[in-house]
């Protein structure tokens, strides 16, 4: 199977005169003289911010965050500048990076989460803990109070729209959480993990320990 890799020069904006080389392959992620081994990556996030000028679509900012064993995460950003329409070339660059990250990093993180769940362990994020029998969510109300709710798989619903993953209870619509692919670490991993568990009733089999 051919290796999925990227070797490309990026500019942070159309005013940026410096090209920054990004390399992603099966061994490493290299950007701005920083190198993170792929097998050391623990968390990822990515997404697009659409900017507007007087209600008209302007720049789009593409952003990736990658967190390994170092304290400071690697941040990759670049922009497209085209009014009214999407810059297809930059959109293709963004999608190619997403796909390359999936092949070399994200898929492994999903597989590790699945393996841990099958062993009775949890997949944990800042606001969410996926357990074999369901999901525990930390919800902050508008008045600042934090609440923790556990929802079994049979009562759980999910949806994705505009870079947001929504998870909520079908019994109590007030029990819900929204996670941003661009801002909340490992939301891409969680989304793929839930897609896997939703397929063929795997979540129910997991809860019944029939994996």
């Amino acid at each position: 199977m051919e290796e999925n890799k990227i070797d490309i020069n990026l500019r942070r904006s159309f005013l940026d005169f410096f090209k920054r080389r990004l390399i992603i392959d099966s061994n490493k992620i290299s950007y701005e003289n920083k190198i993170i081994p792929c097998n050391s990556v623990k968390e990822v996030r990515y997404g697009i911010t659409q900017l507007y000028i007087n209600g008209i679509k302007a720049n789009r900012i593409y952003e990736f965050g990658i967190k390994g064993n170092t304290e400071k995460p690697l941040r990759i950003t670049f922009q497209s500048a085209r009014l009214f329409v999407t810059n297809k070339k930059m959109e293709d660059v963004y999608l190619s990076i997403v796909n390359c990250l999936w092949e070399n990093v994200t898929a492994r993180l999903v597989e590790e989460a699945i393996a841990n769940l099958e062993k009775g362990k949890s997949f944990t994020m800042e606001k969410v803990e996926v357990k074999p029998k369901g999901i525990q969510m930390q919800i902050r109300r508008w008045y600042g109070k934090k609440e923790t709710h556990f929802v079994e798989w049979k009562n759980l619903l999910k949806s994705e729209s505009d870079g947001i993953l929504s998870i909520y209870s079908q019994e109590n619509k007030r029990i819900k959480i929204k996670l941003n692919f661009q801002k909340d670490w490992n939301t891409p991993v969680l989304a793929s993990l839930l897609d896997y568990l939703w397929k063929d009733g795997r979540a129910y089999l997991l809860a019944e320990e029939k994996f």
Side-chain angles (χ1 to χ4, degrees):
M1 184 176 179
E2 187 177 351
E3 180 184 17
N4 190 339
K5 59 183 179 180
I6 280 179
D7 188 340
I8 191 172
N9 291 315
L10 299 173
R11 288 190 174 93
R12 287 181 177 170
S13 73
F14 60 93
L15 297 176
D16 185 2
F17 298 105
F18 297 97
K19 292 182 178 180
R20 294 168 169 81
R21 188 181 183 188
L22 171 65
I23 300 173
I24 303 176
D25 57 34
S26 59
N27 296 313
K28 67 183 181 303
I29 300 166
S30 173
Y31 184 68
E32 291 191 317
N33 299 317
K34 299 175 184 176
I35 297 176
I36 299 179
C38 286
N39 60 12
S40 75
V41 176
K42 301 293 189 296
E43 297 177 272
V44 295
R45 64 185 183 189
Y46 51 76
I48 304 171
T49 300
Q50 176 67 64
L51 303 181
Y52 293 85
I53 299 176
N54 296 326
I56 299 172
K57 284 186 178 181
N59 294 11
R60 283 165 73 86
I61 301 174
Y62 305 88
E63 181 177 2
F64 293 83
I66 299 163
K67 191 182 291 186
N69 292 326
T70 58
E71 183 176 340
K72 190 174 181 180
L74 180 64
R75 184 169 178 258
I76 302 165
T77 63
F78 56 97
Q79 291 189 32
S80 69
R82 184 170 293 182
L83 295 178
F84 307 114
V85 297
T86 300
N87 187 328
K88 187 178 185 305
K89 179 180 177 181
M90 300 309 295
E91 205 80 1
D92 288 344
V93 169
Y94 169 77
L95 292 175
S96 68
I97 297 173
V98 170
N99 290 334
C100 193
L101 274 178
W102 169 260
E103 292 290 338
N104 296 303
V105 174
T106 316
R108 172 182 60 80
L109 295 175
V110 175
E111 289 167 1
E112 289 176 355
I114 293 168
N116 283 331
L117 286 169
E118 291 175 354
K119 295 174 184 176
K121 300 178 182 179
S122 298
F123 170 70
T124 305
M125 295 168 56
E126 183 180 359
K127 305 171 188 175
V128 172
E129 183 177 357
V130 182
K131 300 182 177 183
K133 295 186 181 297
I135 292 183
Q136 184 168 293
M137 297 178 272
Q138 291 185 5
I139 301 170
R140 183 186 290 273
R141 300 300 181 190
W142 66 270
Y143 42 83
K145 181 182 178 182
K146 288 184 179 180
E147 299 177 357
T148 299
H149 296 275
F150 179 78
V151 183
E152 295 181 343
W153 293 118
K154 64 181 180 180
N155 294 323
L156 203 67
L157 299 173
K158 70 180 181 71
S159 63
E160 288 182 37
S161 179
D162 297 325
I164 300 295
L165 173 64
S166 299
I167 305 171
Y168 45 96
S169 166
Q170 64 178 342
E171 290 185 338
N172 184 349
K173 294 299 191 291
R174 293 187 72 251
I175 300 176
K176 60 182 177 181
I177 192 168
K178 292 185 178 182
L179 300 168
N180 190 308
F181 277 76
Q182 187 175 356
K183 297 178 181 179
D184 294 309
W185 288 103
N186 268 351
T187 298
V189 177
L190 176 60
S192 295
L193 174 61
L194 293 181
D195 284 342
Y196 172 84
L197 293 175
W198 247 249
K199 189 174 181 180
D200 299 329
R202 291 171 178 150
Y204 306 117
L205 295 174
L206 180 66
E208 295 171 2
E209 300 180 352
K210 293 182 178 180
F211 255 86

